[in-house]
mmCIF file of all heavy atoms in Angstrom:
data_model
loop_
_atom_site.group_PDB
_atom_site.id
_atom_site.type_symbol
_atom_site.label_atom_id
_atom_site.label_comp_id
_atom_site.label_asym_id
_atom_site.label_seq_id
_atom_site.Cartn_x
_atom_site.Cartn_y
_atom_site.Cartn_z
ATOM 1 N N LYS N 199 -12.007 8.927 -0.942
ATOM 2 C CA LYS N 199 -11.666 8.835 0.484
ATOM 3 C C LYS N 199 -12.148 7.508 1.074
ATOM 4 O O LYS N 199 -11.456 6.912 1.905
ATOM 5 C CB LYS N 199 -12.269 10.012 1.248
ATOM 6 C CG LYS N 199 -11.569 11.340 0.971
ATOM 7 C CD LYS N 199 -11.936 12.413 1.975
ATOM 8 C CE LYS N 199 -13.380 12.786 1.925
ATOM 9 N NZ LYS N 199 -13.709 13.940 2.793
ATOM 10 N N GLU N 200 -13.317 7.051 0.652
ATOM 11 C CA GLU N 200 -13.822 5.758 1.127
ATOM 12 C C GLU N 200 -12.879 4.628 0.712
ATOM 13 O O GLU N 200 -12.562 3.742 1.510
ATOM 14 C CB GLU N 200 -15.219 5.514 0.541
ATOM 15 C CG GLU N 200 -15.845 4.190 0.979
ATOM 16 C CD GLU N 200 -17.142 3.885 0.249
ATOM 17 O OE1 GLU N 200 -17.593 4.715 -0.556
ATOM 18 O OE2 GLU N 200 -17.694 2.795 0.487
ATOM 19 N N LEU N 201 -12.412 4.673 -0.525
ATOM 20 C CA LEU N 201 -11.484 3.647 -1.013
ATOM 21 C C LEU N 201 -10.172 3.682 -0.229
ATOM 22 O O LEU N 201 -9.634 2.636 0.153
ATOM 23 C CB LEU N 201 -11.232 3.871 -2.502
ATOM 24 C CG LEU N 201 -10.382 2.832 -3.233
ATOM 25 C CD1 LEU N 201 -10.895 2.648 -4.661
ATOM 26 C CD2 LEU N 201 -8.911 3.250 -3.285
ATOM 27 N N VAL N 202 -9.656 4.877 0.027
ATOM 28 C CA VAL N 202 -8.392 5.012 0.764
ATOM 29 C C VAL N 202 -8.540 4.507 2.191
ATOM 30 O O VAL N 202 -7.671 3.783 2.704
ATOM 31 C CB VAL N 202 -7.917 6.483 0.755
ATOM 32 C CG1 VAL N 202 -6.770 6.691 1.741
ATOM 33 C CG2 VAL N 202 -7.482 6.886 -0.646
ATOM 34 N N ARG N 203 -9.632 4.864 2.862
ATOM 35 C CA ARG N 203 -9.849 4.399 4.246
ATOM 36 C C ARG N 203 -9.864 2.875 4.318
ATOM 37 O O ARG N 203 -9.207 2.282 5.172
ATOM 38 C CB ARG N 203 -11.177 4.959 4.790
ATOM 39 C CG ARG N 203 -11.093 6.367 5.338
ATOM 40 C CD ARG N 203 -12.326 6.712 6.177
ATOM 41 N NE ARG N 203 -13.555 6.644 5.384
ATOM 42 C CZ ARG N 203 -14.083 7.684 4.754
ATOM 43 N NH1 ARG N 203 -13.488 8.865 4.807
ATOM 44 N NH2 ARG N 203 -15.205 7.549 4.070
ATOM 45 N N TRP N 204 -10.620 2.263 3.422
ATOM 46 C CA TRP N 204 -10.722 0.795 3.423
ATOM 47 C C TRP N 204 -9.348 0.171 3.183
ATOM 48 O O TRP N 204 -8.950 -0.777 3.866
ATOM 49 C CB TRP N 204 -11.710 0.348 2.346
ATOM 50 C CG TRP N 204 -12.003 -1.119 2.381
ATOM 51 C CD1 TRP N 204 -13.049 -1.729 3.014
ATOM 52 C CD2 TRP N 204 -11.224 -2.164 1.771
ATOM 53 N NE1 TRP N 204 -12.970 -3.091 2.833
ATOM 54 C CE2 TRP N 204 -11.856 -3.390 2.077
ATOM 55 C CE3 TRP N 204 -10.052 -2.187 1.018
ATOM 56 C CZ2 TRP N 204 -11.372 -4.614 1.645
ATOM 57 C CZ3 TRP N 204 -9.553 -3.415 0.582
ATOM 58 C CH2 TRP N 204 -10.207 -4.607 0.890
ATOM 59 N N THR N 205 -8.614 0.716 2.194
ATOM 60 C CA THR N 205 -7.315 0.153 1.824
ATOM 61 C C THR N 205 -6.318 0.217 2.977
ATOM 62 O O THR N 205 -5.630 -0.769 3.288
ATOM 63 C CB THR N 205 -6.746 0.907 0.607
ATOM 64 O OG1 THR N 205 -7.647 0.751 -0.490
ATOM 65 C CG2 THR N 205 -5.376 0.379 0.219
ATOM 66 N N LEU N 206 -6.232 1.375 3.632
ATOM 67 C CA LEU N 206 -5.258 1.519 4.717
ATOM 68 C C LEU N 206 -5.612 0.642 5.917
ATOM 69 O O LEU N 206 -4.720 0.066 6.562
ATOM 70 C CB LEU N 206 -5.145 2.991 5.118
ATOM 71 C CG LEU N 206 -4.522 3.908 4.062
ATOM 72 C CD1 LEU N 206 -4.540 5.355 4.524
ATOM 73 C CD2 LEU N 206 -3.097 3.466 3.726
ATOM 74 N N HIS N 207 -6.904 0.523 6.222
ATOM 75 C CA HIS N 207 -7.320 -0.387 7.297
ATOM 76 C C HIS N 207 -6.946 -1.828 6.952
ATOM 77 O O HIS N 207 -6.430 -2.567 7.804
ATOM 78 C CB HIS N 207 -8.833 -0.285 7.531
ATOM 79 C CG HIS N 207 -9.236 0.872 8.388
ATOM 80 N ND1 HIS N 207 -8.870 0.981 9.718
ATOM 81 C CD2 HIS N 207 -9.980 1.977 8.114
ATOM 82 C CE1 HIS N 207 -9.364 2.106 10.216
ATOM 83 N NE2 HIS N 207 -10.040 2.726 9.264
ATOM 84 N N TYR N 208 -7.191 -2.223 5.705
ATOM 85 C CA TYR N 208 -6.919 -3.604 5.294
ATOM 86 C C TYR N 208 -5.421 -3.908 5.374
ATOM 87 O O TYR N 208 -5.003 -4.934 5.924
ATOM 88 C CB TYR N 208 -7.437 -3.833 3.878
ATOM 89 C CG TYR N 208 -7.296 -5.263 3.413
ATOM 90 C CD1 TYR N 208 -8.300 -6.195 3.646
ATOM 91 C CD2 TYR N 208 -6.148 -5.689 2.740
ATOM 92 C CE1 TYR N 208 -8.174 -7.512 3.229
ATOM 93 C CE2 TYR N 208 -5.999 -7.000 2.324
ATOM 94 C CZ TYR N 208 -7.024 -7.912 2.564
ATOM 95 O OH TYR N 208 -6.883 -9.226 2.157
ATOM 96 N N ILE N 209 -4.592 -3.003 4.853
ATOM 97 C CA ILE N 209 -3.141 -3.232 4.874
ATOM 98 C C ILE N 209 -2.609 -3.225 6.305
ATOM 99 O O ILE N 209 -1.727 -4.018 6.663
ATOM 100 C CB ILE N 209 -2.427 -2.188 3.995
ATOM 101 C CG1 ILE N 209 -2.754 -2.432 2.521
ATOM 102 C CG2 ILE N 209 -0.912 -2.227 4.213
ATOM 103 C CD1 ILE N 209 -2.195 -1.394 1.560
ATOM 104 N N ALA N 210 -3.179 -2.356 7.144
ATOM 105 C CA ALA N 210 -2.732 -2.313 8.549
ATOM 106 C C ALA N 210 -2.931 -3.654 9.235
ATOM 107 O O ALA N 210 -2.130 -4.062 10.087
ATOM 108 C CB ALA N 210 -3.498 -1.221 9.300
ATOM 109 N N ASP N 211 -3.991 -4.368 8.870
ATOM 110 C CA ASP N 211 -4.302 -5.648 9.511
ATOM 111 C C ASP N 211 -3.636 -6.833 8.832
ATOM 112 O O ASP N 211 -3.745 -7.963 9.325
ATOM 113 C CB ASP N 211 -5.821 -5.861 9.513
ATOM 114 C CG ASP N 211 -6.530 -4.887 10.450
ATOM 115 O OD1 ASP N 211 -5.876 -4.382 11.376
ATOM 116 O OD2 ASP N 211 -7.732 -4.632 10.229
ATOM 117 N N LEU N 212 -2.947 -6.609 7.715
ATOM 118 C CA LEU N 212 -2.282 -7.707 7.016
ATOM 119 C C LEU N 212 -1.074 -8.200 7.810
ATOM 120 O O LEU N 212 -0.263 -7.396 8.286
ATOM 121 C CB LEU N 212 -1.783 -7.253 5.648
ATOM 122 C CG LEU N 212 -2.682 -7.412 4.425
ATOM 123 C CD1 LEU N 212 -1.940 -6.903 3.192
ATOM 124 C CD2 LEU N 212 -3.106 -8.856 4.222
ATOM 125 N N ASP N 213 -0.933 -9.507 7.922
ATOM 126 C CA ASP N 213 0.252 -10.091 8.558
ATOM 127 C C ASP N 213 1.140 -10.661 7.458
ATOM 128 O O ASP N 213 0.945 -11.779 6.988
ATOM 129 C CB ASP N 213 -0.169 -11.191 9.539
ATOM 130 C CG ASP N 213 1.022 -11.755 10.309
ATOM 131 O OD1 ASP N 213 2.109 -11.150 10.241
ATOM 132 O OD2 ASP N 213 0.861 -12.809 10.949
ATOM 133 N N ILE N 214 2.095 -9.858 7.021
ATOM 134 C CA ILE N 214 3.052 -10.280 6.000
ATOM 135 C C ILE N 214 4.460 -10.067 6.545
ATOM 136 O O ILE N 214 4.648 -9.341 7.521
ATOM 137 C CB ILE N 214 2.843 -9.509 4.672
ATOM 138 C CG1 ILE N 214 2.910 -7.990 4.896
ATOM 139 C CG2 ILE N 214 1.498 -9.877 4.044
ATOM 140 C CD1 ILE N 214 2.774 -7.173 3.616
ATOM 141 N N PRO N 215 5.481 -10.719 5.953
ATOM 142 C CA PRO N 215 6.831 -10.691 6.538
ATOM 143 C C PRO N 215 7.432 -9.301 6.707
ATOM 144 O O PRO N 215 8.232 -9.079 7.613
ATOM 145 C CB PRO N 215 7.655 -11.531 5.554
ATOM 146 C CG PRO N 215 6.672 -12.457 4.936
ATOM 147 C CD PRO N 215 5.403 -11.675 4.827
ATOM 148 N N ALA N 216 7.084 -8.351 5.832
ATOM 149 C CA ALA N 216 7.681 -7.011 5.941
ATOM 150 C C ALA N 216 6.695 -5.976 5.424
ATOM 151 O O ALA N 216 5.894 -6.241 4.531
ATOM 152 C CB ALA N 216 8.982 -6.933 5.144
ATOM 153 N N LYS N 217 6.759 -4.769 6.029
ATOM 154 C CA LYS N 217 6.041 -3.603 5.513
ATOM 155 C C LYS N 217 7.010 -2.424 5.542
ATOM 156 O O LYS N 217 7.789 -2.283 6.484
ATOM 157 C CB LYS N 217 4.808 -3.291 6.370
ATOM 158 C CG LYS N 217 3.692 -4.319 6.266
ATOM 159 C CD LYS N 217 2.491 -3.928 7.123
ATOM 160 C CE LYS N 217 1.443 -5.032 7.104
ATOM 161 N NZ LYS N 217 0.307 -4.718 8.005
ATOM 162 N N ARG N 218 6.928 -1.589 4.536
ATOM 163 C CA ARG N 218 7.826 -0.442 4.465
ATOM 164 C C ARG N 218 7.020 0.856 4.430
ATOM 165 O O ARG N 218 6.451 1.253 5.413
ATOM 166 C CB ARG N 218 8.765 -0.595 3.256
ATOM 167 C CG ARG N 218 9.758 -1.753 3.423
ATOM 168 C CD ARG N 218 10.653 -1.554 4.640
ATOM 169 N NE ARG N 218 11.544 -2.693 4.874
ATOM 170 C CZ ARG N 218 11.367 -3.583 5.836
ATOM 171 N NH1 ARG N 218 10.303 -3.502 6.641
ATOM 172 N NH2 ARG N 218 12.234 -4.553 6.015
ATOM 173 N N GLY N 219 6.890 1.518 3.317
ATOM 174 C CA GLY N 219 6.139 2.767 3.249
ATOM 175 C C GLY N 219 5.598 3.010 1.862
ATOM 176 O O GLY N 219 5.974 2.328 0.916
ATOM 177 N N THR N 220 4.742 4.012 1.741
ATOM 178 C CA THR N 220 4.032 4.354 0.503
ATOM 179 C C THR N 220 3.179 3.170 0.053
ATOM 180 O O THR N 220 3.468 2.500 -0.939
ATOM 181 C CB THR N 220 4.984 4.812 -0.626
ATOM 182 O OG1 THR N 220 5.910 5.763 -0.109
ATOM 183 C CG2 THR N 220 4.210 5.457 -1.760
ATOM 184 N N PHE N 221 2.121 2.941 0.815
ATOM 185 C CA PHE N 221 1.199 1.841 0.515
ATOM 186 C C PHE N 221 0.191 2.250 -0.553
ATOM 187 O O PHE N 221 -0.326 1.402 -1.278
ATOM 188 C CB PHE N 221 0.477 1.410 1.791
ATOM 189 C CG PHE N 221 1.415 0.962 2.874
ATOM 190 C CD1 PHE N 221 1.701 1.796 3.952
ATOM 191 C CD2 PHE N 221 2.059 -0.259 2.797
ATOM 192 C CE1 PHE N 221 2.590 1.397 4.946
ATOM 193 C CE2 PHE N 221 2.952 -0.667 3.778
ATOM 194 C CZ PHE N 221 3.219 0.166 4.860
ATOM 195 N N ILE N 222 -0.104 3.534 -0.659
ATOM 196 C CA ILE N 222 -0.954 4.055 -1.728
ATOM 197 C C ILE N 222 -0.205 5.191 -2.406
ATOM 198 O O ILE N 222 0.243 6.125 -1.750
ATOM 199 C CB ILE N 222 -2.296 4.592 -1.193
ATOM 200 C CG1 ILE N 222 -3.085 3.493 -0.496
ATOM 201 C CG2 ILE N 222 -3.128 5.194 -2.335
ATOM 202 C CD1 ILE N 222 -4.391 3.972 0.113
ATOM 203 N N GLU N 223 -0.047 5.065 -3.726
ATOM 204 C CA GLU N 223 0.576 6.144 -4.491
ATOM 205 C C GLU N 223 -0.470 6.731 -5.421
ATOM 206 O O GLU N 223 -1.008 6.040 -6.293
ATOM 207 C CB GLU N 223 1.765 5.629 -5.293
ATOM 208 C CG GLU N 223 2.479 6.733 -6.061
ATOM 209 C CD GLU N 223 3.720 6.231 -6.768
ATOM 210 O OE1 GLU N 223 3.574 5.640 -7.861
ATOM 211 O OE2 GLU N 223 4.831 6.416 -6.231
ATOM 212 N N PHE N 224 -0.782 7.999 -5.214
ATOM 213 C CA PHE N 224 -1.778 8.698 -6.031
ATOM 214 C C PHE N 224 -1.115 9.206 -7.299
ATOM 215 O O PHE N 224 -0.101 9.893 -7.257
ATOM 216 C CB PHE N 224 -2.371 9.863 -5.234
ATOM 217 C CG PHE N 224 -3.402 10.645 -5.987
ATOM 218 C CD1 PHE N 224 -4.703 10.179 -6.095
ATOM 219 C CD2 PHE N 224 -3.072 11.842 -6.600
ATOM 220 C CE1 PHE N 224 -5.656 10.896 -6.800
ATOM 221 C CE2 PHE N 224 -4.021 12.569 -7.304
ATOM 222 C CZ PHE N 224 -5.320 12.093 -7.407
ATOM 223 N N ARG N 225 -1.689 8.848 -8.441
ATOM 224 C CA ARG N 225 -1.173 9.283 -9.733
ATOM 225 C C ARG N 225 -2.261 10.042 -10.473
ATOM 226 O O ARG N 225 -3.404 10.082 -10.045
ATOM 227 C CB ARG N 225 -0.698 8.077 -10.548
ATOM 228 C CG ARG N 225 0.407 7.277 -9.858
ATOM 229 C CD ARG N 225 0.751 6.019 -10.626
ATOM 230 N NE ARG N 225 1.783 5.223 -9.946
ATOM 231 C CZ ARG N 225 2.136 4.006 -10.314
ATOM 232 N NH1 ARG N 225 1.541 3.423 -11.344
ATOM 233 N NH2 ARG N 225 3.072 3.361 -9.641
ATOM 234 N N ASN N 226 -1.906 10.599 -11.592
ATOM 235 C CA ASN N 226 -2.876 11.382 -12.354
ATOM 236 C C ASN N 226 -4.058 10.533 -12.815
ATOM 237 O O ASN N 226 -5.210 10.945 -12.706
ATOM 238 C CB ASN N 226 -2.194 12.003 -13.573
ATOM 239 C CG ASN N 226 -3.122 12.877 -14.368
ATOM 240 O OD1 ASN N 226 -3.746 13.770 -13.827
ATOM 241 N ND2 ASN N 226 -3.237 12.613 -15.664
ATOM 242 N N GLY N 227 -3.784 9.346 -13.329
ATOM 243 C CA GLY N 227 -4.839 8.550 -13.931
ATOM 244 C C GLY N 227 -5.259 7.323 -13.148
ATOM 245 O O GLY N 227 -6.113 6.556 -13.609
ATOM 246 N N MET N 228 -4.685 7.107 -11.970
ATOM 247 C CA MET N 228 -4.967 5.896 -11.207
ATOM 248 C C MET N 228 -4.379 6.034 -9.810
ATOM 249 O O MET N 228 -3.702 7.011 -9.499
ATOM 250 C CB MET N 228 -4.340 4.679 -11.888
ATOM 251 C CG MET N 228 -2.812 4.703 -11.867
ATOM 252 S SD MET N 228 -2.084 3.281 -12.685
ATOM 253 C CE MET N 228 -2.376 3.709 -14.408
ATOM 254 N N VAL N 229 -4.637 5.026 -8.962
ATOM 255 C CA VAL N 229 -3.870 4.871 -7.739
ATOM 256 C C VAL N 229 -3.184 3.514 -7.793
ATOM 257 O O VAL N 229 -3.712 2.556 -8.364
ATOM 258 C CB VAL N 229 -4.722 4.987 -6.450
ATOM 259 C CG1 VAL N 229 -5.181 6.406 -6.243
ATOM 260 C CG2 VAL N 229 -5.887 4.037 -6.464
ATOM 261 N N ASN N 230 -1.999 3.450 -7.220
ATOM 262 C CA ASN N 230 -1.235 2.216 -7.137
ATOM 263 C C ASN N 230 -1.170 1.801 -5.678
ATOM 264 O O ASN N 230 -0.813 2.607 -4.812
ATOM 265 C CB ASN N 230 0.174 2.424 -7.706
ATOM 266 C CG ASN N 230 1.023 1.169 -7.623
ATOM 267 O OD1 ASN N 230 1.774 0.988 -6.667
ATOM 268 N ND2 ASN N 230 0.908 0.316 -8.612
ATOM 269 N N ILE N 231 -1.541 0.565 -5.397
ATOM 270 C CA ILE N 231 -1.621 0.065 -4.021
ATOM 271 C C ILE N 231 -0.622 -1.062 -3.840
ATOM 272 O O ILE N 231 -0.560 -1.988 -4.649
ATOM 273 C CB ILE N 231 -3.052 -0.417 -3.713
ATOM 274 C CG1 ILE N 231 -4.028 0.765 -3.774
ATOM 275 C CG2 ILE N 231 -3.123 -1.097 -2.344
ATOM 276 C CD1 ILE N 231 -5.489 0.375 -3.677
ATOM 277 N N SER N 232 0.160 -0.991 -2.761
ATOM 278 C CA SER N 232 1.186 -2.002 -2.493
ATOM 279 C C SER N 232 1.103 -2.463 -1.046
ATOM 280 O O SER N 232 1.319 -1.659 -0.134
ATOM 281 C CB SER N 232 2.583 -1.433 -2.769
ATOM 282 O OG SER N 232 3.583 -2.354 -2.368
ATOM 283 N N PRO N 233 0.813 -3.728 -0.806
ATOM 284 C CA PRO N 233 0.737 -4.226 0.575
ATOM 285 C C PRO N 233 2.043 -4.082 1.351
ATOM 286 O O PRO N 233 2.024 -3.804 2.550
ATOM 287 C CB PRO N 233 0.358 -5.701 0.396
ATOM 288 C CG PRO N 233 -0.378 -5.738 -0.909
ATOM 289 C CD PRO N 233 0.333 -4.729 -1.778
ATOM 290 N N ILE N 234 3.192 -4.259 0.686
ATOM 291 C CA ILE N 234 4.475 -4.114 1.389
ATOM 292 C C ILE N 234 4.916 -2.650 1.394
ATOM 293 O O ILE N 234 5.648 -2.217 2.274
ATOM 294 C CB ILE N 234 5.573 -4.993 0.741
ATOM 295 C CG1 ILE N 234 6.868 -4.936 1.564
ATOM 296 C CG2 ILE N 234 5.814 -4.626 -0.696
ATOM 297 C CD1 ILE N 234 7.976 -5.836 1.061
ATOM 298 N N GLY N 235 4.470 -1.859 0.432
ATOM 299 C CA GLY N 235 4.873 -0.459 0.316
ATOM 300 C C GLY N 235 5.915 -0.258 -0.756
ATOM 301 O O GLY N 235 6.842 -1.066 -0.905
ATOM 302 N N ARG N 236 5.796 0.815 -1.510
ATOM 303 C CA ARG N 236 6.677 1.045 -2.646
ATOM 304 C C ARG N 236 8.098 1.440 -2.234
ATOM 305 O O ARG N 236 8.996 1.487 -3.066
ATOM 306 C CB ARG N 236 6.089 2.109 -3.573
ATOM 307 C CG ARG N 236 4.784 1.672 -4.242
ATOM 308 C CD ARG N 236 4.387 2.611 -5.362
ATOM 309 N NE ARG N 236 5.383 2.606 -6.425
ATOM 310 C CZ ARG N 236 5.408 1.730 -7.429
ATOM 311 N NH1 ARG N 236 4.499 0.767 -7.502
ATOM 312 N NH2 ARG N 236 6.331 1.818 -8.355
ATOM 313 N N ASN N 237 8.315 1.697 -0.943
ATOM 314 C CA ASN N 237 9.668 2.010 -0.470
ATOM 315 C C ASN N 237 10.527 0.770 -0.240
ATOM 316 O O ASN N 237 11.674 0.882 0.191
ATOM 317 C CB ASN N 237 9.606 2.827 0.820
ATOM 318 C CG ASN N 237 8.970 4.183 0.615
ATOM 319 O OD1 ASN N 237 7.856 4.422 1.045
ATOM 320 N ND2 ASN N 237 9.663 5.075 -0.083
ATOM 321 N N ALA N 238 9.981 -0.398 -0.514
ATOM 322 C CA ALA N 238 10.744 -1.631 -0.337
ATOM 323 C C ALA N 238 11.993 -1.625 -1.221
ATOM 324 O O ALA N 238 11.977 -1.098 -2.339
ATOM 325 C CB ALA N 238 9.863 -2.839 -0.680
ATOM 326 N N SER N 239 13.070 -2.223 -0.708
ATOM 327 C CA SER N 239 14.314 -2.329 -1.482
ATOM 328 C C SER N 239 14.146 -3.366 -2.597
ATOM 329 O O SER N 239 13.159 -4.112 -2.638
ATOM 330 C CB SER N 239 15.463 -2.753 -0.570
ATOM 331 O OG SER N 239 15.245 -4.091 -0.125
ATOM 332 N N THR N 240 15.135 -3.423 -3.477
ATOM 333 C CA THR N 240 15.073 -4.398 -4.576
ATOM 334 C C THR N 240 14.972 -5.817 -4.039
ATOM 335 O O THR N 240 14.148 -6.612 -4.505
ATOM 336 C CB THR N 240 16.315 -4.255 -5.478
ATOM 337 O OG1 THR N 240 16.332 -2.940 -6.052
ATOM 338 C CG2 THR N 240 16.293 -5.288 -6.590
ATOM 339 N N GLN N 241 15.778 -6.164 -3.038
ATOM 340 C CA GLN N 241 15.721 -7.517 -2.483
ATOM 341 C C GLN N 241 14.385 -7.771 -1.792
ATOM 342 O O GLN N 241 13.819 -8.870 -1.902
ATOM 343 C CB GLN N 241 16.876 -7.735 -1.487
ATOM 344 C CG GLN N 241 16.963 -9.170 -0.971
ATOM 345 C CD GLN N 241 17.121 -10.188 -2.091
ATOM 346 O OE1 GLN N 241 18.006 -10.059 -2.933
ATOM 347 N NE2 GLN N 241 16.250 -11.188 -2.127
ATOM 348 N N GLU N 242 13.884 -6.771 -1.069
ATOM 349 C CA GLU N 242 12.580 -6.925 -0.409
ATOM 350 C C GLU N 242 11.461 -7.111 -1.436
ATOM 351 O O GLU N 242 10.504 -7.865 -1.186
ATOM 352 C CB GLU N 242 12.299 -5.708 0.473
ATOM 353 C CG GLU N 242 13.151 -5.673 1.730
ATOM 354 C CD GLU N 242 13.153 -4.311 2.417
ATOM 355 O OE1 GLU N 242 12.732 -3.310 1.800
ATOM 356 O OE2 GLU N 242 13.603 -4.259 3.584
ATOM 357 N N ARG N 243 11.585 -6.484 -2.582
ATOM 358 C CA ARG N 243 10.604 -6.680 -3.658
ATOM 359 C C ARG N 243 10.637 -8.118 -4.170
ATOM 360 O O ARG N 243 9.595 -8.744 -4.386
ATOM 361 C CB ARG N 243 10.877 -5.705 -4.817
ATOM 362 C CG ARG N 243 10.499 -4.265 -4.512
ATOM 363 C CD ARG N 243 11.074 -3.294 -5.532
ATOM 364 N NE ARG N 243 10.629 -1.936 -5.249
ATOM 365 C CZ ARG N 243 9.635 -1.313 -5.868
ATOM 366 N NH1 ARG N 243 8.979 -1.938 -6.841
ATOM 367 N NH2 ARG N 243 9.291 -0.094 -5.545
#
């Protein structure tokens, strides 16, 4: 929870050209973190 809180605060304050959704994806063996969000389209990626 501490890691998630820090990550979401940090991404919220990031000034980047675009943000979409799913900034943290929880998986069985890890978490995946994306500043733009994993919902970005192919071109946005």
Side-chain angles (χ1 to χ4, degrees):
K199 288 194 296 187
E200 180 187 357
L201 185 145
V202 169
R203 277 195 299 268
W204 187 95
T205 299
L206 292 176
H207 278 295
Y208 185 89
I209 291 175
D211 291 337
L212 269 181
D213 185 12
I214 56 177
K217 291 181 185 176
R218 292 300 176 255
T220 313
F221 301 103
I222 300 177
E223 182 176 80
F224 180 80
R225 301 174 182 171
N226 183 53
M228 67 181 75
V229 290
N230 179 266
I231 296 172
S232 173
I234 185 176
R236 295 192 63 86
N237 296 108
S239 67
T240 298
Q241 186 58 52
E242 288 165 345
R243 287 167 177 260

